[in-house]
Amino acid sequence: MRCWINGSYMAEKDLRISPFDHGFLYGLGFFETFRTYKGQVFGWDAHMERLQQALSQYRIHLTYPESVLLEVVQQLNQQARGQDGYFRLNVSAGEHNIGLQPTEYTTPNVILFRKELQDTPRGTEKTAQWLTTPRNSPEQGLRVKSHHFGNNVLGRFELPSLAEQEGFFLTEAGYVAEGVTSNVFWVKNDILYTPSLETGILPGIVRAWVIKKANALGIEVSEGFYRKEDLQQSTECFITNSVQELVPIINVENQQLLGNRGPVYMRLHDAFAQEVEQR
């Protein structure tokens, strides 16, 4: 894995940050994960807008312009013989003394990690199960991708393999929330359902794309508060994130679904594949 930290390219084994970084001491750090297609990042502007909103809320000053970060992404791919990659852009608060004295963070640690994409064909199905760990509520009105990832880790511990499965969280109130690493959609009577952002889920980049594209295709979309039983009455289900794209679910425990043969899933999947290829 090749990486970039604060202006320097280096191998993963050479990366170092101080234990006094408030991203380590207090979990004050944020990140975005994405991939490239023929060297181009899908949804770059949306990823950066989401990151900047989180940084602004916690008074962390991103010290590199977006154009520089995008150039780093391309350079890291070039160092990997021009192959597309999986990226994580990480911004932590930076080094300060123990205690919450700072009123703003002006020298964060900015890291871009690049690793190889898994060679998984589009449309590969996964299974899913309901998690006993409840989804925690966000610390602010809208969930952000932060270092506070313990709830996701507890959910992941319930699964034998994230490569083949996804776990679905319910909120404390019993509403369908999201997956360990994904947003959730399902279909009933030709209507596409997904939990509302008000349930405390992450506003996913591909989630937003799916909703917009479904509306453009004439597919009715309903965002709201739904119980486990609502999803259990569906005929299709799929999950989304920026690296795995749209992933069909073939069953949720004992509930059999159409998987990659679902007509709504196929329309959206084909539209996504066409868009990223055109870009």
Side-chain angles (χ1 to χ4, degrees), residues 137-242:
S137 58
E139 294 181 320
Q140 54 283 314
L142 192 66
R143 187 177 296 277
V144 294
K145 288 179 75 73
S146 77
H147 288 189
H148 295 273
F149 227 59
N151 189 238
N152 300 67
V153 173
L154 288 176
R156 187 270 173 270
F157 287 161
E158 297 187 40
L159 305 173
S161 169
L162 267 180
E164 300 176 354
Q165 291 180 294
E166 179 59 293
F168 291 166
F169 284 109
L170 299 174
T171 68
E172 288 279 5
Y175 295 111
V176 180
E178 58 192 338
V180 174
T181 62
S182 65
N183 291 117
V184 183
F185 292 85
W186 64 93
V187 179
K188 177 184 175 184
N189 297 331
D190 298 322
I191 299 173
L192 183 63
Y193 292 89
T194 194
S196 167
L197 295 180
E198 294 179 7
T199 62
I201 63 173
L202 183 75
I205 305 303
V206 179
R207 174 188 183 274
W209 181 93
V210 166
I211 292 171
K212 182 177 180 180
K213 179 58 68 172
N215 285 324
L217 293 174
I219 300 169
E220 183 178 348
V221 180
S222 180
E223 300 177 71
F225 289 77
Y226 303 107
R227 300 287 182 180
K228 178 178 178 180
E229 294 75 20
D230 294 311
L231 193 152
Q232 289 174 326
Q233 297 170 4
S234 64
T235 54
E236 300 180 48
C237 179
F238 60 91
I239 58 176
T240 62
N241 67 38
S242 291

Side-chain angles (χ1 to χ4, degrees), residues 7-219:
S8 299
Y9 294 92
M10 61 183 62
E12 59 183 298
K13 64 182 179 64
D14 298 321
L15 281 178
R16 299 288 187 275
I17 61 170
S18 168
F20 289 98
D21 188 315
H22 278 203
F24 171 74
L25 289 176
Y26 301 110
L28 192 53
F30 304 91
F31 67 97
E32 291 290 324
T33 54
F34 48 83
R35 60 179 292 179
T36 56
Y37 298 87
K38 298 180 181 178
Q40 304 302 309
V41 178
F42 179 81
W44 172 259
D45 290 341
H47 280 289
M48 291 306 299
E49 180 180 356
R50 186 171 66 179
L51 177 63
Q52 291 281 18
Q53 286 175 348
L55 296 176
S56 176
Q57 189 171 11
Y58 287 89
R59 303 184 185 181
I60 299 174
H61 298 252
L62 184 59
T63 48
Y64 295 91
E66 294 180 20
S67 59
V68 169
L69 297 175
L70 195 55
E71 175 63 24
V72 173
V73 168
Q74 295 168 349
Q75 287 293 330
L76 287 172
N77 273 345
Q78 289 181 19
Q79 292 178 18
R81 303 174 303 281
Q83 298 296 312
D84 284 317
Y86 170 124
F87 291 87
R88 169 169 165 150
L89 170 57
N90 197 97
V91 183
S92 58
E95 184 176 348
H96 295 277
N97 288 330
I98 292 175
L100 300 180
Q101 299 94 341
T103 57
E104 60 181 342
Y105 295 90
T106 60
T107 56
N109 282 309
V110 183
I111 307 175
L112 261 163
F113 304 87
R114 182 199 178 279
K115 69 177 186 178
E116 299 300 315
L117 286 166
Q118 293 184 349
D119 187 19
T120 303
R122 284 195 179 115
T124 298
E125 297 168 331
K126 284 189 176 185
T127 63
Q129 70 180 58
W130 296 101
L131 300 173
T132 60
T133 302
R135 190 59 169 130
N136 63 341
S137 58
E139 294 181 320
Q140 54 283 314
L142 192 66
R143 187 177 296 277
V144 294
K145 288 179 75 73
S146 77
H147 288 189
H148 295 273
F149 227 59
N151 189 238
N152 300 67
V153 173
L154 288 176
R156 187 270 173 270
F157 287 161
E158 297 187 40
L159 305 173
S161 169
L162 267 180
E164 300 176 354
Q165 291 180 294
E166 179 59 293
F168 291 166
F169 284 109
L170 299 174
T171 68
E172 288 279 5
Y175 295 111
V176 180
E178 58 192 338
V180 174
T181 62
S182 65
N183 291 117
V184 183
F185 292 85
W186 64 93
V187 179
K188 177 184 175 184
N189 297 331
D190 298 322
I191 299 173
L192 183 63
Y193 292 89
T194 194
S196 167
L197 295 180
E198 294 179 7
T199 62
I201 63 173
L202 183 75
I205 305 303
V206 179
R207 174 188 183 274
W209 181 93
V210 166
I211 292 171
K212 182 177 180 180
K213 179 58 68 172
N215 285 324
L217 293 174
I219 300 169

